[in-house]
Amino acid sequence: MNQKSKLTFGKILERFSYGCGDFGCNIIYTAMSAFLLFYYTDYADVSAIAVGTIMMVSRIFDGISDIIMGVIVDRTKSKYGKARPWILRMCIPFAISGILLFSVPASWASTPKLVYVFITYNLVSTVIYTAINVPYSALNALMTQDPYERSVLSIFRNLLATAGTLTINTFTLPLVEHFGNNAAAWTKTFVVFGFVAIVAFLFTFFGTKERVRASENSGETKAEDVPFVTGIKALFKNKYWIMMTGMLALFFLMYSVNGGATVYYAKDILGDKNLVGTINGIFNIVQICGMFFIAMMVKKLGKRNVFSIGLILDIIGMLVLNFSGGSMAIIVISSVIRGVGNACGGATMWAMVSDTIDYGEWKTGCRTEGLVNSACSFGYKIGNGIGSALLGLILEIGGYVGTAAVQTESALTSIKICFVWIPIAVYVCGLVIMKFYHLDKEFDGIIEDLKKRAQK
């Protein structure tokens, strides 16, 4: 383990550069969560239940590719490190795949359209997104081993991720309108976003540095020498990794359902689809502002407690929204509360995942940043896939019809379930999981023990 693991040069620039990676990732991720199903149903004229099924089935392939990519990252050797080379290699394919995702040929028959959706969706999620996001997720643990610095990096990651989400939520529909408000307009919109994503990833590649290495003494095993089966067994001896993977799976299920339902909620409950920008804009701006205060809270209260506070605020914000009666003032209040809550959660969640890597090394002698993050990615992508299918299924059961001028009462209820009540259930589950998470209290002792092993 390299003891020079703190960020020592150009901290602000390096933190910003690290965060740019999630800005780039969110160009596609937010688009897939918030607008892809809407694009399929209302512009490409594809069945919601068929698309939801494709998304869920595709997560099986996606999960396998995550594990493979994690092993590849752990075995990557280059002058740039383990993770950074993949960010450079995949940034252009990432942009191209995003454009193809929103380029369903509108004139095709239903079956060829579904084939196209299946191929392009898997190209993005199973291959390209995995090949850039798994290395990026591993980068935090490779840049520093200082727990506070990890928290700050996680804050910058979430700050820039939120900026990416804000960018997509604010500019997607206006750009689509600008380019003609038809199926082809979505393609042109994502050509613009693709260039933005490439620039963001290049910032990450050139602005960051990998410093942390596995301990080489006292029986510790280098990540590149860990057999795959041994690495998997080590993961399931890591109780905190199991907790965080379960948490991520639930959260990304919720993000998928809630994010995908936002445009429906704005259009059919509030009566104006352009309110997506208002609802998410306020939410994201508050979240970004909240990030500047989270580091102080983490230092005083610890990551687990800050995360739990965020969950409570998220629940309150959702309840306020549900009983807003369509009042814009109350909707704004709800977005502010949820923005603060999400700042607490987003700023700590990924740092907590990185901490489980050190716990796993201390517990089992195996340090596998790539495998840990890819297995987490597998968990949350399964959650995301189930969420996508769940959204389509609930809308289908509720009788939602994309071309209908007015939706039925059951369709409106299904939208409320997706946008409000499923997130509340997930936040409650998160609070239960956090009841058993005690790594914050144990972490300093674990790091000291690992340092002693490295010095023997």
Side-chain angles (χ1 to χ4, degrees), residues 1-9 11 14 140-146 149 209-213 447 451 454-455:
M1 199 166 28
N2 187 348
Q3 302 217 16
K4 295 180 180 178
S5 57
K6 289 188 179 183
L7 302 178
T8 57
F9 176 76
K11 285 187 177 181
E14 187 165 20
N140 183 306
L142 290 164
M143 289 172 67
T144 179
Q145 209 163 32
D146 181 271
E149 283 293 349
K209 183 177 180 181
E210 297 181 22
R211 298 172 178 82
V212 177
R213 300 290 184 269
I447 294 299
K451 288 180 179 178
Q455 291 168 355

Side-chain angles (χ1 to χ4, degrees), residues 71-354:
V71 174
I72 290 172
V73 170
D74 282 331
R75 284 159 173 72
T76 297
K77 298 178 183 178
S78 80
K79 64 180 181 180
Y80 301 120
K82 291 181 179 182
R84 290 171 62 238
W86 293 101
I87 294 171
L88 180 64
R89 293 165 185 165
M90 301 309 300
C91 62
I92 293 177
F94 180 90
I96 294 172
S97 67
I99 295 167
L100 293 175
L101 190 66
F102 286 89
S103 300
V104 178
S107 61
W108 287 10
S110 177
T111 299
K113 281 183 184 177
L114 289 175
V115 172
Y116 182 92
V117 168
F118 180 83
I119 292 173
T120 54
Y121 186 84
N122 277 281
L123 175 66
V124 173
S125 64
T126 304
V127 182
I128 307 297
Y129 187 85
T130 294
I132 201 164
N133 188 256
V134 168
Y136 175 72
S137 296
L139 187 57
N140 183 306
L142 290 164
M143 289 172 67
T144 179
Q145 209 163 32
D146 181 271
Y148 177 71
E149 283 293 349
R150 279 185 181 168
S151 296
V152 175
L153 282 173
S154 188
I155 288 169
F156 271 79
R157 173 179 183 172
N158 196 254
L159 209 167
L160 271 297
T162 304
T165 298
L166 181 61
T167 299
I168 292 297
N169 286 330
T170 302
F171 294 108
T172 298
L173 293 180
L175 279 174
V176 170
E177 292 278 353
H178 173 74
F179 287 125
N181 197 27
N182 53 26
W186 286 85
T187 304
K188 296 172 184 176
T189 296
F190 279 86
V191 169
V192 175
F193 288 145
F195 280 111
V196 174
I198 291 171
V199 172
F201 285 125
L202 291 177
F203 263 101
T204 299
F205 174 76
F206 288 109
T208 60
K209 183 177 180 181
E210 297 181 22
R211 298 172 178 82
V212 177
R213 300 290 184 269
S215 299
E216 299 182 19
N217 298 307
S218 187
E220 253 66 12
T221 308
K222 292 182 181 180
E224 59 265 26
D225 298 329
V226 177
F228 175 72
V229 174
T230 301
I232 293 294
K233 288 180 179 178
L235 285 182
F236 286 95
K237 293 178 182 177
N238 187 334
K239 61 182 179 181
Y240 294 121
W241 173 82
I242 294 172
M243 290 180 197
M244 291 310 301
T245 300
M247 178 73 73
L248 286 166
L250 285 172
F251 261 64
F252 278 81
L253 180 151
M254 180 270 294
Y255 288 150
S256 181
V257 173
N258 172 262
T262 304
V263 67
Y264 297 104
Y265 191 87
K267 180 168 72 78
D268 297 304
I269 303 296
L270 301 180
D272 183 1
K273 70 178 180 179
N274 291 313
L275 284 175
V276 170
T278 303
I279 295 171
N280 286 331
I282 295 169
F283 170 77
N284 293 145
I285 290 170
V286 171
Q287 184 175 342
I288 289 172
C289 294
M291 293 292 171
F292 295 101
F293 303 97
I294 299 300
M296 293 182 289
M297 291 178 63
V298 169
K299 185 171 281 189
K300 185 174 182 179
L301 301 175
K303 291 188 282 289
R304 175 251 194 190
N305 291 335
V306 172
F307 187 84
S308 298
I309 290 170
L311 293 175
I312 294 170
L313 290 173
D314 284 328
I315 292 170
I316 294 171
M318 275 298 178
L319 289 173
V320 169
L321 178 65
N322 185 65
F323 297 106
S324 67
S327 166
M328 184 53 62
I330 298 178
I331 290 171
V332 169
I333 292 171
S334 166
S335 294
V336 170
I337 296 171
R338 292 190 300 121
V340 175
N342 225 48
C344 293
T348 52
M349 186 162 52
W350 298 110
M352 292 165 75
V353 171
S354 293

Side-chain angles (χ1 to χ4, degrees), residues 38-80:
F38 177 64
Y39 162 73
Y40 284 151
T41 57
D42 287 37
Y43 287 81
D45 194 24
V46 181
S47 163
I49 190 67
V51 170
T53 302
I54 287 173
M55 289 176 174
M56 185 173 66
V57 171
S58 297
R59 291 309 181 189
I60 299 172
F61 306 115
D62 201 0
I64 295 170
S65 72
D66 278 342
I67 301 298
I68 293 171
M69 194 63 208
V71 174
I72 290 172
V73 170
D74 282 331
R75 284 159 173 72
T76 297
K77 298 178 183 178
S78 80
K79 64 180 181 180
Y80 301 120

